[in-house]
Structure formats: C-alpha cells, structure tokens
Amino acid sequence: MKPSFSRLVRGAAATAAPAVVLLAAAAPATAAGAGATRADAPAVPLRVATYNIHAGAGEDGVFDLDRTARALRDLGADVVGLQEVDVHWGDRSEFVDEARALAGKLDMRVFFAPIYDLAPAAEDAERRQYGVAVLSRYPVIEAENHEITRLSTQAPGPVPAPMPGFAEVTVDVKGVHVHVYSTHLDHRADPSVRAAQVADMLDVLAADRGPKILIGDFNAEATAPELAPLWQRLRDADPDGGGTYPAVAPIKRIDLVAASFDITVAGAEAVAAEASDHRPVVTDLRVPRRGR
C-alpha cells in the first residue's frame, strides 16, 4: 500500500518552493486517466525532457545554475526529469537548493526526491541532500519518492539495498492524469544493480493506471540486456537518436525517454548543450484522453 499523500508531501517534497509547488491542492481521486480511451477525443500534446544537470556544472567544471536554467528553458518542455540535483549539498554547488532555484527561475512546479539525506555541513545549516527531481508547467496532483535497489556511494562497504530517489509525479495535463517518473540508475560496470533497479521500477509502474512516462539517466544504452525488461512494458521514444554522453562529443545514448504504448511519439531529439556533462533529450508526445 502506498503511504498517504499528506505523508508524501511532508517527506520527499518538503524542500519544494511553496510558491511553485501546489501539491496540497490535489484533485479528487477520480483521475481523468482512468477508464477506456475515447476514440472521438483528440490526444493531448505533451513535451517532456530528461536532463542530468551534473549538479549545475558543465564539462568545463564551472558551476553556473543560470546556464543550467537557460538550457532547460530552451528545451520548451512542459515536464522535465532532472538527475544529479544538489540541495544544500556542498561547495561544488555553493550549498544552493537547486530544485527550488531552478523552479523559481523557470516559473515551474517542482518535486524533489532525495537519494541521500545527510546531516548538515555546519551547525544551524540545512541538511545536505542529493537526488532527482521533476519540473512541471502543469499542476502536480500527487507525488512520491519510491525506493529502489541501490549501492550507496556514501557508505563504506555498501551492499545492494532499498533506497529512495525514484521520483513519481502525477501531472494534470489538460484533464488527463499522466504518471511521470524520473530515475538515475547505477553507474558501475557490473549490470546487476541496474537489473534489480529495472525490476523495482517496473513494480512501481505496475501499481499505477493510465499513461506513463519514464525518463532519466539509465547509465546504460537502451540495448543493454539489463534494460530489456523495460521494453516489454514501454517504448523507447528515440531508438535511433543521437548520443547523450559526454556532452561535447557523445558516444553513448544513456539518457532516455520511455513511454507506455498508449502514448504516441511525435518526435525526439538529443540537444547539444554545454550546461552539463550530459546532453538533454526532449520528446514530443501525444497522450490519449480517457473516458470513465
């Protein structure tokens, strides 16, 4: 059973800016996404993107969150999944709450889902957090920070164990409720943790009804064996797309947008940008309207 929505808001979404996050004003539980597709209703356009923001630093190693915001703005996306987001994390990002700051710069709602939540660096300072986020121009009516298997980078001698940092938001797109998930999978050469993470994510997706969009840094190409189970439930939005990593001369396509089969893909592109060590991927989708 999922935790209550009020509990979710008090937990993972606690760092979100009140001016841009309207999670408390949730819509009734009778989601527009429930029921059968109405054949006579036009699909709803939705532009989504994924971007590993490298904690606000480009491949030049320079922290510049205004540059990050400009790169995001240029995508023109309605919903963006972010990875490597610092919230009061450390000197590398000037202890900035990047989730709140980017939402403010872009006039978007935000849900931040920490992977790590550590003690403050100094007395009376904010807790140090690092994780993923979702930005949205549309109302966010529900949000949750799910656990998936992880191998911690912050603890000595880590073993695979459930940890948070798999973000899910339900977005009201002109009356259609769409589930959007932002993920960041394990970076190690050994695929076993990523395989476990894929299984965990699919379990989360299976619990939700309606259109689904999974976006993130998978640290593996779409053809990797450990990602194969995803393609039984979702479609790769840009199977012939260009590389996304490293940003300057990409040789790997590891930043992916995947959608449930009821969603139509109208176009996708890996966009050249210098605000991170990854390139963002932007995708134009058509989401079906649903009847009751």
Side-chain angles (χ1 to χ4, degrees):
M1 179 180 297
K2 292 185 179 180
S4 68
F5 183 59
S6 60
R7 178 183 172 191
L8 302 177
V9 173
R10 287 196 302 271
T15 61
V20 292
V21 182
L22 304 178
L23 297 183
T30 55
T37 302
R38 292 207 308 262
D40 59 339
V44 178
L46 181 66
R47 172 169 274 209
V48 303
T50 185
Y51 200 13
N52 179 324
I53 64 169
H54 196 218
E59 279 196 310
D60 57 9
V62 176
F63 172 70
D64 186 347
L65 206 60
D66 287 333
R67 178 173 60 177
T68 305
R70 288 194 299 272
L72 288 166
R73 187 179 295 111
D74 289 347
L75 298 176
D78 303 307
V79 179
V80 185
L82 304 178
Q83 302 83 45
E84 294 194 18
V85 181
D86 282 1
V87 171
H88 310 298
W89 181 257
D91 290 331
R92 70 181 184 188
S93 50
E94 300 177 359
F95 289 92
V96 170
D97 181 340
E98 294 185 332
R100 185 189 298 265
L102 287 171
K105 292 175 186 295
L106 298 168
D107 193 25
M108 298 177 79
R109 301 163 177 86
V110 65
F111 176 73
F112 172 65
I115 298 171
Y116 302 116
D117 184 359
L118 307 181
E123 188 176 354
D124 298 327
E126 301 283 351
R127 292 188 66 82
R128 301 172 58 237
Q129 296 180 311
Y130 167 90
V132 302
V134 180
L135 296 167
S136 176
R137 300 194 188 284
Y138 289 109
V140 176
I141 60 173
E142 189 174 6
E144 186 166 354
N145 185 3
H146 295 280
E147 290 186 342
I148 60 174
T149 300
R150 295 193 184 278
L151 196 60
S152 175
T153 62
Q154 303 299 308
V159 296
M163 291 177 59
F166 179 42
E168 175 191 356
V169 300
T170 305
V171 182
D172 186 343
V173 183
K174 300 180 180 179
V176 180
H177 292 183
V178 183
H179 296 274
V180 181
Y181 313 83
S182 179
T183 195
H184 191 184
L185 300 191
D186 191 76
H187 67 279
R188 296 165 180 85
D190 181 354
S192 61
V193 174
R194 285 192 299 278
Q197 291 174 325
V198 167
D200 293 341
M201 293 190 303
L202 287 175
D203 285 345
V204 172
L205 269 64
D208 297 322
R209 298 179 60 189
K212 304 177 183 69
I213 302 167
L214 173 63
I215 50 186
D217 175 1
F218 289 75
N219 271 309
E221 303 214 46
T223 54
E226 65 268 28
L227 299 192
L230 286 176
W231 313 128
Q232 303 301 313
R233 301 275 296 280
L234 304 169
R235 74 170 83 243
D236 180 355
D238 195 19
D240 299 317
T244 64
Y245 181 84
V248 172
I251 58 174
K252 297 180 180 181
R253 189 173 71 94
I254 61 176
D255 301 270
L256 308 175
V257 175
S260 52
F261 290 109
D262 55 344
I263 295 175
T264 300
V265 178
E269 180 185 6
V271 179
E274 299 180 355
S276 172
D277 60 343
H278 289 242
R279 290 188 175 187
V281 176
V282 63
T283 306
D284 288 303
L285 304 173
R286 299 290 183 269
V287 181
R289 291 189 180 275
R290 303 246 170 192
R292 298 186 188 279

